Amino acid sequence: YLGFTARLHTAALFFIPLLVWLFLRLQENPQTIRIILFIIFAILGLYTQYYVALLFFPFSILVIYPSSRLTIKSWLSIVLIICASFIPWLGAAAKNPHAICACPPAYLALPATLAASTLGGIGEVTLRRFGELPIIILIFFTFVTGFNLFLFWKGTHKDRVLTYLYVIPLMLISIAGSLGPFFTPKGFAAYSPFFFALTAIGISSLKNSSRIAMVNISFLLIINIIQIANPFFWGTPIRPVVDITKTISDIPIVHISSITYYSTQFYLPGAQQNLLTKNPFSVQTVGYIGGTPVPEITADRLWLIDTKNWVDSDQRNAQLSYVNKNYKIVSEVSFREVSVKLLQLK
């Protein structure tokens, strides 16, 4: 499921720049073939990720400008056709509620989004655990992020169109994110090409732009090296966990968190695996991808995979208390934030 959502965000990264290019061509000369291509790819983009809809707000502003050869009437007709094609999705969404969203509030999502392009990562590191970094790395990352935001700000003064295409969607999703769980930095990463373009324009607007560009590239390379070398950025260590459980493959594997459950399912599709805590996804989603929690475990021996990530702390503590009461630990191995225990019924 996580890989599926990542592929959709990556596909949106293709559709959004493509739609901008098609729209700019449409403004220059609203030929029928250009209108058809724009409508087709807009529909495909919307069915890929709903953040694509944010583009239509800056598009509508650009249509009003005198330099646009696309009339307001034609633009409204195009938008109505695209909206009408989206009705089946709305009907399906009404019948199949979306899974519980882990989107953070806007006051966390907005700074994480602005920092993500520079730091080359989003999610857990930039949102929740950034403060756990060593102070030297924290200061360096903060400085480089601030430096790139300054370059981005300089670029917004030089290119009106790119500024509209990035800032207006960011403002809209920030407002929505303050009202409900709608702002996911992973989704808005599809707009990052505009951030990079405005940053480059900001560099070119300064004196000694070539030197500044080389310095900034050096900063980004250092960040990449740190992230490659530091285990803090490596994510959940699933493969070593899988290798441990393969040593005794004929006993059940139980999981405290859904993040290890689904990842381990991919590597061990034939293994008997169970989730002990409440699944964060909706009943409909679980019906497709599996992961219904088991009420209790009764096996004589089992593997227990535990992590504090992506799980309610109260549920985790309750399950660990039950397990410790009824099972004894035969062996235990830890891989950063994930522990693997071989348990025997007392």
Side-chain angles (χ1 to χ4, degrees):
Y1 181 84
L2 298 177
F4 181 70
T5 58
R7 287 191 290 272
L8 291 179
H9 295 323
T10 304
L13 187 61
F14 164 76
F15 280 113
I16 286 176
L18 176 62
L19 283 173
V20 169
W21 181 80
L22 289 172
F23 175 78
L24 295 177
R25 301 287 79 77
L26 193 60
Q27 272 195 308
E28 294 174 356
N29 189 355
Q31 296 175 340
T32 302
I33 185 62
R34 294 184 177 184
I35 293 175
I36 293 173
L37 288 174
F38 179 81
I39 291 174
I40 291 174
F41 283 105
I43 293 171
L44 292 174
L46 284 170
Y47 272 87
T48 300
Q49 188 201 72
Y50 65 85
Y51 274 23
V52 171
L54 296 172
L55 280 176
F56 287 85
F57 291 92
F59 284 171
S60 298
I61 293 175
L62 294 173
V63 167
I64 298 173
Y65 275 79
S67 59
S68 176
R69 298 183 62 186
L70 181 63
T71 64
I72 296 177
K73 182 179 179 181
S74 298
W75 174 242
L76 290 176
S77 300
I78 292 170
V79 172
L80 285 174
I81 293 172
I82 295 171
C83 290
S85 69
F86 208 50
I87 292 176
W89 185 92
L90 294 174
K95 295 180 180 179
N96 301 282
H98 193 280
I100 297 174
C101 185
C103 300
Y107 66 84
L108 288 177
L110 179 58
T113 298
L114 292 173
S117 298
T118 300
L119 297 180
I122 48 182
E124 172 181 302
V125 173
T126 49
L127 288 178
R128 300 181 178 89
R129 297 181 59 196
F130 192 76
E132 298 177 17
L133 285 168
I135 188 63
I136 295 178
I137 296 178
L138 180 61
I139 292 173
F140 177 69
F141 279 15
T142 303
F143 169 76
V144 177
T145 300
F147 180 60
N148 277 270
L149 287 175
F150 167 74
L151 297 174
F152 165 78
W153 175 76
K154 293 289 290 185
T156 60
H157 291 74
K158 300 295 181 180
D159 194 298
R160 180 188 63 198
V161 173
L162 285 175
T163 301
Y164 285 171
L165 293 172
Y166 186 84
V167 174
I168 292 177
L170 184 61
M171 291 174 57
L172 291 171
I173 200 62
S174 297
I175 294 171
S178 65
L179 302 175
F182 303 110
F183 193 167
T184 162
K186 294 191 297 294
F188 200 80
Y191 285 81
S192 59
F194 307 136
F195 180 93
F196 297 138
L198 288 167
T199 301
I201 293 170
I203 292 174
S204 65
S205 68
L206 300 174
K207 294 181 179 180
N208 300 318
S209 58
S210 298
R211 291 183 180 180
I212 294 173
M214 292 305 299
V215 169
N216 199 39
I217 290 172
S218 299
F219 284 159
L220 298 178
L221 286 175
I222 293 172
I223 288 176
N224 286 335
I225 293 171
I226 292 173
Q227 292 177 343
I228 291 171
N230 194 327
F232 179 85
F233 299 96
W234 292 354
T236 305
I238 297 299
R239 288 306 298 267
V241 169
V242 170
D243 292 338
I244 289 292
T245 59
K246 283 182 178 179
T247 59
I248 305 177
S249 58
D250 59 343
I251 61 175
I253 303 172
V254 296
H255 299 262
I256 295 295
S257 171
S258 59
I259 194 170
T260 60
Y261 173 80
Y262 288 112
S263 301
T264 309
Q265 285 274 35
F266 175 80
Y267 291 108
L268 300 171
Q272 180 184 346
Q273 304 195 52
N274 296 295
L275 180 64
L276 294 182
T277 56
K278 182 180 178 180
N279 198 310
F281 301 121
S282 68
V283 175
Q284 290 80 2
T285 302
V286 172
Y288 288 117
I289 66 177
T292 302
V294 295
E296 61 181 11
I297 48 178
T298 57
D300 293 336
R301 287 204 306 167
L302 56 88
W303 290 108
L304 175 69
I305 302 177
D306 175 36
T307 179
K308 63 181 180 180
N309 297 334
W310 282 53
V311 63
D312 179 81
S313 59
D314 292 336
Q315 292 187 39
R316 175 174 177 262
N317 292 334
Q319 290 296 339
L320 289 177
S321 177
Y322 170 82
V323 168
N324 292 333
K325 180 180 178 181
N326 294 280
Y327 287 85
K328 63 179 180 180
I329 300 175
V330 178
S331 63
E332 180 177 2
V333 181
S334 295
F335 303 97
R336 299 196 302 279
E337 70 273 19
V338 180
S339 69
V340 185
K341 299 176 183 178
L342 177 60
L343 302 180
Q344 177 73 47
L345 191 66
K346 291 181 178 179

